């Protein structure tokens, strides 16, 4: 059975909204789009590309899919990330999108359909798509979290776990954390069952 990973660029206060550009996603009046570039360096870029090169299928929520589908097909063959994304089998979870325009895309109407993908692919990645990521976590379909944590806080914006969301889950490191020159940190976690709680630390 394959592994389903969620890849997110995320701030210290859990915001994942619009890392790539000022106008990427202004929903909710978000004014801080384009926050990732100031912390980009060669080492971070190499780690991100290495993750993209490992995947053999791409799974997206509708909003991230629309952003990607408007951008990556327009890039030339001299962009290796575009070449990879355009060639990969792609899946978008959406109840309204029935005829996706990006070549190689299949629309799924429900998160429950994602489980079957793990029988078909070895390494499926969700990029961005925070709402979908939460739904997949709630359905216990996420095997790994690939987080790039950036030294920023915004106090507003879309968060992976907004107030009142999330499910009880424990994780462990799948590989050691890696710090990059401009302050980002790569954190790779895999599921480790249920949280351990109810222990009085003073009795340890």
């Amino acid at each position: 059975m394959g592994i389903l990973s969620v890849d997110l660029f995320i701030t210290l206060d859990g915001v994942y909204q619009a890392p790539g550009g000022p106008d990427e996603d202004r929903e909710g009046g978000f004014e801080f789009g384009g926050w990732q570039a100031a912390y980009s360096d060669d080492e971070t870029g190499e780690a991100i590309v290495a993750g993209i090169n490992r995947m053999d299928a791409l799974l997206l929520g509708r909003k991230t899919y629309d952003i990607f589908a408007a951008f990556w097909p327009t890039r030339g063959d001299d962009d290796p990330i575009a070449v990879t994304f355009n060639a990969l089998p792609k899946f978008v979870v959406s109840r309204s999108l029935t005829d996706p325009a990006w070549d190689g895309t299949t629309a799924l109407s429900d998160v429950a359909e994602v489980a079957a993908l793990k029988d078909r692919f070895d390494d499926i990645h969700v990029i961005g798509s925070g709402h979908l990521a939460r739904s997949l976590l709630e359905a216990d379909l996420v095997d790994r979290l690939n987080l790039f944590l950036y030294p920023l806080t915004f106090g507003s914006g879309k968060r992976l776990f907004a107030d009142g969301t999330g499910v009880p889950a424990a994780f462990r490191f799948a590989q050691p954390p890696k710090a990059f020159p401009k302050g980002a940190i790569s954190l790779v976690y895999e599921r480790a069952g249920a949280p351990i709680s109810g222990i009085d630390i003073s009795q340890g």
Side-chain angles (χ1 to χ4, degrees):
M1 180 173 287
I3 291 174
L4 177 63
S5 298
V6 170
D7 301 356
L8 273 181
F9 306 127
I10 196 167
T11 67
L12 292 174
D13 57 346
V15 174
Y16 64 84
Q17 188 170 358
D23 296 317
E24 183 178 337
D25 182 1
R26 291 188 178 272
E27 186 175 342
F30 189 67
E31 299 178 352
F32 301 104
W35 48 265
Q36 183 184 19
Y39 298 91
S40 295
D41 47 59
D42 290 342
E43 290 89 340
T44 311
E46 289 170 3
I48 292 169
V49 170
I52 291 171
N53 289 338
R54 283 194 301 271
M55 69 178 72
D56 61 353
L58 178 61
L59 175 64
L60 301 170
R62 175 63 188 272
K63 289 181 180 178
T64 303
Y65 176 82
D66 286 345
I67 293 168
F68 276 35
F71 180 77
W72 291 112
T74 69
R75 305 288 288 177
D77 289 343
D78 57 342
D79 185 331
I81 296 177
V83 170
T84 298
F85 280 161
N86 289 328
L88 279 173
K90 293 169 283 288
F91 299 87
V92 55
V93 179
S94 172
R95 292 187 177 91
S96 59
L97 182 63
T98 57
D99 187 21
W102 192 4
D103 285 347
T105 302
T106 300
L108 307 177
S109 61
D110 193 89
V111 167
E113 297 178 59
V114 172
L117 299 181
K118 297 168 100 175
D119 294 325
R120 296 174 53 193
F121 301 99
D122 294 326
D123 202 348
I124 308 159
H125 286 239
V126 177
I127 297 180
S129 308
H131 181 75
L132 173 61
R134 286 196 299 271
S135 296
L136 292 168
L137 285 163
E138 290 170 2
D140 199 20
L141 290 171
V142 176
D143 301 295
R144 185 168 289 185
L145 292 174
N146 299 321
L147 305 179
F148 283 84
L149 182 67
Y150 289 81
L152 295 165
T153 59
F154 294 131
S156 64
K158 298 177 183 177
R159 290 173 168 83
L160 179 57
F161 297 113
D163 292 345
T165 66
V167 295
F171 294 84
R172 58 176 168 250
F173 278 127
Q175 61 189 50
K178 183 175 182 180
F180 299 104
K182 291 190 177 180
I185 300 174
S186 170
L187 301 170
V188 181
Y189 292 103
E190 62 186 12
R191 275 301 305 270
I196 299 173
S197 60
I199 301 173
D200 188 337
I201 195 168
S202 68
Q203 304 301 313

